[in-house]
Amino acid sequence: MAAAAPAAAAASSEAPVATATAEPGAGDEDSREVRVLQSLRGKICEAKNLLPYLGPNKMRDCFCTINLDQEEVYRTQVVEKSLSPFFSEEFYFEIPRTFQYLSFYVYDKNVLQRDLRIGKVAIKKEDLCNHSGKETWFSLQPVDSNSEVQGKVHLELKLNELITENGTVCQQLVVHIMACHGLPLINGQSCDPYATVSLVGPSRNDQKKTKVKKKTSNPQFNEIFYFEVTRSSSYTRKSQFQVEEEDIEKLEIRIDLWNNGNLVQDIFLGEIKVPVNVLRNDSSHQAWYLLQPRDNGNKSSKTDDLGSLRLNICYTEDYVLPSEYYGPLKTLLLKSPDVQPISASAAYILGEICRDKNDAVLPLVRLLLHHDKLVPFATAVAELDLKDTQDANTIFRGNSLATRCLDEMMKIVGRHYLKVTLKPILDEICESSKSCEIDPIRLKEGDNVENNKENLRYYVDKLFSTIVKSSMSCPTVMCDTFYSLRQMATQRFPNDPHVQYSAVSSFVFLRFFAVAVVSPHTFHLRPHHPDPQTIRTLTLISKTIQTLGSWGSLSKSKSSFKETFMCEFFKMFQEEGYIIAVKKFLDEISSTETKESSGTSEPVHLKEGEMYKRAQGRTRIGKKNFKKRWFCLTSRELTYHKQPEFIERKDAIYTIPVKNILAVEKLEESSFNKKNMFQVIHMEKPLYVQANNCVEANEWIDVLCRVSRCNQNRLSFYHPSAYLNGNWLCCLETSENALGCKPCTAGVPADIQIDIDEDRETERIYSLFTLSLLKLQKMEEACGTIAVYQGPQKEPDDYSNFVIEDSVTTFKTIQQIKSIIEKLDEPHEQYRKKRSSSAKYGSKENPIVGKTS
């Protein structure tokens, strides 16, 4: 069937426009040149001393969430029956919007009722830098509905003079409440907000109320209220309140936002207080204000009784300049693999001076991988590690710069490899109810340990067999790296016949397959956290696979298990066939031959997840028109359908070829009164999709834009709202094929690979050098000291933590780094000045923090 004309017909361009996006509020010039990108990385470690139940069963089933203001963007697994739950979950995501607070909520899971919020940790955005990169125990604070606020209010105040009938003059305060923005969702839906407007004084409290706005987080009130603030001198009735002119100094306007509960109690959304004396020097005042907690919000005398939460948080905000600014720094970094010795290279020095090596690893690996420089750099750094390794059994077991770089590389390039290798079996395990517990202490009543052993062995054998037959799917970059590691290990330990295998297995089994098995959701192999029983099964499988993978480097008389029951179980696998299979697999993935298929027969999996789509071609909008569907994006197509286990007919899967995608854009909330919506514009009707939160929506838009960025006939203009009831809501055009009314948002530059934005990564590296300038200075001084005195020093503490093999070469590299950083400082400072001057205090982008008592 011939494709219909695009619903959002627009002028197409032969190539996508490549302008960068900037945070709202920047000037037009900055909007074209600078991208302001926020990200959050860290770890939810554990909680302790949580408040127990009052009854005999004091334990709780706990989980933790991450919230941007009131919007949940991440959730941990549930830890059952504990008052000190150990989560140990790492997180990383881009933050697509402004926010006031980053909050962590600890919940008690409740099957029959709403989950109970035990307590929270709320950190202001401006305070996040105080906790960056270090683990900290935070005391849980009580969750008070009066303190759970987000959003902002647009307000205008005027003071008018009125002449009464008898000729006297009085003053009138005019309060114009124009709009609100960013109000929270209530029970997952847009709220029904209204505002109360009060004039409050020492003995005065006049209150008025706006109309209720239905189903919106960005209500447009546009209502005006009048208050008399100075009575005429002739007004002397004792029954009425008298206000002297000087009392204006004591008056304030209070705006309270509420969600209309209809049949249930209204929910407080926040308040602001504005003193009337802001009009002292001007007859008019107009500004945006951030909503604040109520006076008694979050005040409790029992905050110490709720427990504590240990977190590691790293928040970054990067100003990504145009590509030409990063040329010198990129050139210096990309020369790193060729520098002799490697410890004198810019990339290695970055890892040395960063407080947390993980901060340096991610941008370095992405940048080097983008330019095919990662394998030689990782090889050179790994060789430096080997010089300090004395025991072949501990080869590549530490968390050095080399091992962390290789870990990150495997996560990036090995995602599809894991998908085709592990996902089918992990799906079977997670969707099965078979018990695999073999620890006698953990066995439940009625469990048969022998049956459980058979179940566990079945899964281990199936997974092991799949892994050792998967060498043809192993990415070329991984194979090339493993080949180099194997050669270096053999040269370092020529008398150990097993080290050539352990050098590779310590990565591919210990740090790749075993980790993916035990936490499949982290590698996007499963949509949700497995339940506790499944997690236990995956843990036992992971331990066994990990040991099987390293068995070729161990003697049969040794056992790496501490638990007796695992030692007994592993005896089932002490057969020569397993060792032969592992060696064959390690030989194949560490050869110089390319193992990946050279063709494109297998599409690359990019992203999948559960979202809501609007039914197409149906009647009036409503809940029934939004259906929960499972979306999957590969390099070839976007598909959606019901959950995989419910699919019975092939025609239940709907497909949009990637080559047919014309644009991917956000959809205005007013279209369906729903937040976090975006549209996939293709050859037929636009696909309207609602994500679960702003982070998820941003990730889908980003990956869809990247995979379709080079499509022919990409649109230049689109409609930001939906076509409903015979017209486009944005421009009111009646033709469904009318030209788009807004320019398409330019995605990433056309030369950027699907997963790597080299300008962003280089900007991150610049920021890390800037933050570590003091340590870089110490390293420079250490080079000078070594060069002058030659040999051991009396007081080596200032530089003993640095690896400096060649002080002269290292010194020269540091000088180059400092020079480049100084030159990059100038455009960054210019942009900060422009940004601060363009975002006036009180504007929508820089709202006033309203007065609170």
Side-chain angles (χ1 to χ4, degrees):
M1 183 179 69
S12 62
S13 56
E14 297 196 3
V17 183
T19 54
T21 57
E23 188 173 271
D28 291 340
E29 181 180 349
D30 295 329
S31 297
R32 291 194 304 271
E33 294 181 350
V34 179
R35 293 178 288 152
V36 181
L37 303 175
Q38 306 173 94
S39 64
L40 185 70
R41 178 178 64 80
K43 186 176 184 179
I44 301 174
C45 304
E46 61 180 318
K48 68 178 180 181
N49 302 327
L50 298 181
L51 195 67
Y53 278 122
L54 297 178
N57 181 15
K58 299 180 181 298
M59 298 293 105
R60 295 181 182 270
D61 298 338
C62 302
F63 65 91
C64 186
T65 68
I66 303 176
N67 291 51
L68 296 175
D69 297 318
Q70 296 304 299
E71 183 179 14
E72 180 183 319
V73 295
Y74 182 85
R75 178 177 293 210
T76 69
Q77 63 181 339
V78 176
V79 178
E80 292 186 329
K81 298 178 182 179
S82 176
L83 297 179
S84 296
F86 186 76
F87 299 110
S88 189
E89 291 200 24
E90 295 181 352
F91 56 86
Y92 175 84
F93 50 81
E94 302 289 326
I95 300 176
R97 64 171 177 85
T98 57
F99 65 100
Q100 189 177 1
Y101 283 91
L102 176 69
S103 301
F104 297 81
Y105 289 83
V106 178
Y107 283 82
D108 181 17
K109 184 73 176 175
N110 194 315
V111 177
L112 301 178
Q113 301 175 10
R114 288 186 65 182
D115 299 328
L116 174 66
R117 291 187 289 189
I118 299 172
K120 70 174 182 179
V121 174
I123 307 170
K124 283 187 176 181
K125 178 182 176 180
E126 54 266 30
D127 295 334
L128 286 171
C129 59
N130 300 330
H131 308 287
S132 182
K134 54 187 177 184
E135 289 189 358
T136 307
W137 280 102
F138 294 89
S139 296
L140 291 176
Q141 303 299 314
V143 180
D144 180 358
S145 60
N146 290 328
S147 68
E148 304 297 293
V149 302
Q150 77 172 60
K152 46 197 170 187
V153 181
H154 195 193
L155 184 70
E156 182 181 26
L157 301 181
K158 289 182 180 179
L159 201 58
N160 294 336
E161 287 190 347
L162 298 178
I163 301 176
T164 62
E165 292 179 357
N166 60 6
T168 58
V169 178
C170 71
Q171 290 183 300
Q172 185 183 58
L173 179 65
V174 182
V175 180
H176 182 189
I177 177 167
M178 291 182 271
C180 293
H181 184 80
L183 299 180
L185 299 176
I186 303 297
N187 298 326
Q189 299 294 326
S190 295
C191 54
D192 296 337
Y194 70 90
T196 59
V197 183
S198 306
L199 178 64
V200 181
S203 46
R204 181 174 182 176
N205 191 349
D206 297 348
Q207 186 179 96
K208 302 183 181 184
K209 178 181 171 182
T210 70
K211 296 178 182 177
V212 175
K213 298 296 182 180
K214 292 290 186 180
K215 301 299 178 189
T216 177
S217 298
N218 303 312
Q220 301 291 320
F221 291 112
N222 200 28
E223 294 191 39
I224 300 175
F225 302 95
Y226 300 93
F227 298 91
E228 190 176 336
V229 295
T230 303
R231 312 267 180 171
S232 62
S233 58
S234 62
Y235 196 91
T236 57
R237 288 177 57 187
K238 298 295 184 182
S239 62
Q240 297 293 331
F241 181 71
Q242 276 188 293
V243 182
E244 301 296 336
E245 189 170 350
E246 59 269 17
D247 284 339
I248 291 179
E249 295 291 324
K250 301 176 183 178
L251 297 177
E252 66 181 11
I253 287 293
R254 190 180 74 205
I255 310 290
D256 293 271
L257 268 294
W258 298 86
N259 177 65
N260 182 38
N262 292 321
L263 300 178
V264 297
Q265 186 176 2
D266 293 354
I267 298 174
F268 176 74
L269 300 178
E271 71 174 13
I272 65 167
K273 294 180 180 180
V274 184
V276 176
N277 63 17
V278 297
L279 297 170
R280 181 187 303 153
N281 300 320
D282 201 342
S283 61
S284 177
H285 170 76
Q286 183 180 136
W288 284 87
Y289 284 82
L290 278 177
L291 287 170
Q292 298 297 307
R294 195 183 276 167
D295 289 352
N296 62 348
N298 213 15
K299 293 183 180 179
S300 173
S301 58
K302 297 184 178 181
T303 57
D304 294 334
D305 299 334
L306 300 178
S308 304
L309 184 64
R310 183 162 63 95
L311 301 169
N312 188 330
I313 306 166
C314 182
Y315 166 78
T316 60
E317 183 177 85
D318 295 324
Y319 304 145
V320 183
L321 305 173
S323 296
E324 57 265 25
Y325 285 96
Y326 297 113
L329 182 55
K330 276 193 282 192
T331 300
L332 185 63
L333 290 165
L334 295 175
K335 285 181 179 178
S336 294
D338 304 319
V339 175
Q340 296 290 337
I342 193 65
S343 60
S345 67
Y348 191 91
I349 290 171
L350 178 65
E352 283 285 278
I353 63 176
C354 281
R355 181 171 59 183
D356 185 349
K357 279 187 171 59
N358 286 330
D359 291 338
V361 164
L362 182 58
L364 267 181
V365 168
R366 287 174 172 268
L367 183 65
L368 294 173
L369 195 59
H370 180 78
H371 291 276
D372 297 324
K373 297 283 187 178
L374 182 62
V375 174
F377 176 75
T379 301
V381 177
E383 190 171 14
L384 196 60
D385 270 11
L386 280 174
K387 290 180 181 179
D388 296 328
T389 304
Q390 304 303 319
D391 185 356
N393 291 322
T394 62
I395 191 169
F396 300 130
R397 292 298 175 92
N399 282 320
S400 63
L401 181 62
T403 56
R404 294 185 192 191
C405 282
L406 293 176
D407 286 350
E408 196 59 45
M409 176 270 289
M410 290 190 295
K411 286 181 184 177
I412 294 172
V413 304
R415 181 180 296 182
H416 181 64
Y417 181 29
L418 289 174
K419 174 92 174 176
V420 298
T421 307
L422 300 186
K423 192 176 189 317
I425 304 171
L426 291 176
D427 286 343
E428 178 185 344
I429 295 169
C430 292
E431 292 160 16
S432 168
S433 58
K434 289 182 181 179
S435 175
C436 296
E437 184 55 72
I438 58 174
D439 183 353
I441 299 175
R442 291 174 176 256
L443 287 174
K444 296 178 181 179
E445 187 175 350
D447 275 358
N448 185 310
V449 69
E450 294 303 320
N451 288 343
N452 291 357
K453 279 185 179 180
E454 287 303 315
N455 292 338
L456 184 59
R457 178 169 187 175
Y458 166 77
Y459 286 140
V460 170
D461 273 334
K462 192 168 184 178
L463 202 61
F464 176 81
S465 176
T466 303
I467 290 173
V468 296
K469 294 176 182 177
S470 69
S471 61
M472 288 299 295
S473 300
C474 186
T476 304
V477 174
M478 290 175 61
C479 292
D480 291 344
T481 305
F482 295 152
Y483 172 78
S484 298
L485 295 178
R486 181 174 180 171
Q487 299 302 310
M488 288 188 298
T490 303
Q491 293 172 9
R492 177 70 179 85
F493 299 100
N495 297 323
D496 190 322
H498 298 305
V499 73
Q500 59 177 319
Y501 298 110
S502 59
V504 178
S505 66
S506 62
F507 284 103
V508 74
F509 279 101
L510 178 64
R511 296 173 178 268
F512 187 58
F513 285 123
V515 177
V517 168
V518 82
S519 55
H521 55 283
T522 305
F523 290 82
H524 307 286
L525 299 174
R526 292 289 297 171
H528 307 294
H529 294 283
D531 60 71
Q533 178 179 313
T534 305
I535 290 174
R536 176 61 180 167
T537 297
L538 294 174
T539 301
L540 295 173
I541 295 171
S542 177
K543 284 183 175 183
T544 311
I545 290 293
Q546 176 182 321
T547 308
L548 272 172
S550 61
W551 188 252
S553 62
L554 300 172
S555 66
K556 291 186 179 181
S557 61
K558 293 182 180 180
S559 174
S560 61
F561 294 111
K562 296 178 182 178
E563 307 97 334
T564 304
F565 65 88
M566 285 301 296
C567 292
E568 288 297 315
F569 174 69
F570 195 71
K571 289 179 180 178
M572 297 181 176
F573 303 94
Q574 292 183 0
E575 300 174 4
E576 191 68 23
Y578 288 99
I579 298 177
I580 293 172
V582 169
K583 285 185 175 181
K584 182 176 183 291
F585 171 68
L586 295 176
D587 283 336
E588 289 171 347
I589 64 170
S590 58
S591 71
T592 55
E593 298 177 7
T594 299
K595 293 298 174 184
E596 285 182 302
S597 173
S598 57
T600 56
S601 57
E602 183 103 36
V604 177
H605 174 268
L606 299 175
K607 188 171 178 63
E608 64 180 340
E610 195 173 66
M611 296 186 290
Y612 295 83
K613 67 165 285 288
R614 182 178 183 262
Q616 302 193 22
R618 296 197 184 174
T619 56
R620 185 81 178 146
I621 60 173
K623 288 185 178 179
K624 64 180 181 179
N625 282 333
F626 281 86
K627 304 293 184 181
K628 186 183 290 187
R629 292 292 182 263
W630 187 259
F631 286 78
C632 181
L633 176 66
T634 71
S635 53
R636 287 188 189 171
E637 61 190 19
L638 172 67
T639 60
Y640 58 90
H641 47 72
K642 294 181 181 179
Q643 281 283 8
E645 54 266 34
F646 299 116
I647 292 293
E648 295 179 357
R649 310 184 316 273
K650 287 187 177 181
D651 60 359
I653 300 177
Y654 298 88
T655 301
I656 300 174
V658 164
K659 64 182 180 181
N660 290 350
I661 295 177
L662 304 177
V664 182
E665 299 287 347
K666 291 181 180 179
L667 189 71
E668 289 182 354
E669 180 187 333
S670 58
S671 297
F672 301 104
N673 290 325
K674 292 180 181 292
K675 302 186 80 170
N676 305 317
M677 289 202 67
F678 63 94
Q679 52 183 320
V680 181
I681 305 170
H682 58 109
M683 294 296 184
E684 299 182 11
K685 289 189 176 183
L687 175 66
Y688 298 134
V689 183
Q690 183 186 26
N692 294 294
N693 56 63
C694 65
V695 170
E696 184 179 71
N698 184 68
E699 290 175 349
W700 274 100
I701 293 171
D702 183 61
V703 71
L704 281 164
C705 285
R706 288 174 183 271
V707 75
S708 63
R709 71 193 184 281
C710 294
N711 285 356
Q712 296 294 320
N713 301 319
R714 292 254 320 172
L715 301 185
S716 297
F717 293 87
Y718 78 105
H719 291 284
S721 290
Y723 184 82
L724 293 174
N725 303 321
N727 64 267
W728 292 99
L729 299 181
C730 43
C731 59
L732 303 181
E733 286 284 347
T734 56
S735 171
E736 196 169 0
N737 297 325
L739 181 71
C741 57
K742 185 176 181 180
C744 284
T745 306
V748 295
D751 62 342
I752 289 181
Q753 294 177 4
I754 285 179
D755 287 316
I756 297 173
D757 179 346
E758 61 175 331
D759 291 341
R760 170 71 185 280
E761 309 307 339
T762 312
E763 168 62 29
R764 184 89 291 273
I765 292 170
Y766 156 76
S767 298
L768 292 172
F769 274 128
T770 303
L771 291 171
S772 307
L773 277 178
L774 286 177
K775 212 166 180 183
L776 188 66
Q777 181 68 32
K778 283 188 177 182
M779 193 173 189
E780 183 182 33
E781 293 169 359
C783 289
T785 303
I786 294 171
V788 171
Y789 292 102
Q790 298 294 329
Q793 305 302 309
K794 294 179 181 179
E795 298 178 359
D797 292 342
D798 287 341
Y799 61 87
S800 58
N801 292 327
F802 298 126
V803 176
I804 302 175
E805 296 177 289
D806 184 331
S807 59
V808 174
T809 308
T810 304
F811 184 85
K812 289 179 179 178
T813 303
I814 293 173
Q815 289 285 303
Q816 291 177 291
I817 292 171
K818 289 175 66 178
S819 174
I820 291 170
I821 297 306
E822 286 176 7
K823 290 178 181 178
L824 272 172
D825 284 341
E826 295 177 12
H828 282 86
E829 186 59 31
Q830 290 173 4
Y831 174 73
R832 288 189 187 97
K833 288 179 180 178
K834 287 182 181 179
R835 190 169 178 238
S836 60
S837 63
S838 62
K840 178 184 174 183
Y841 190 50
S843 66
K844 190 175 182 180
E845 294 75 32
N846 189 18
I848 296 170
V849 179
K851 174 187 171 185
T852 56
S853 44

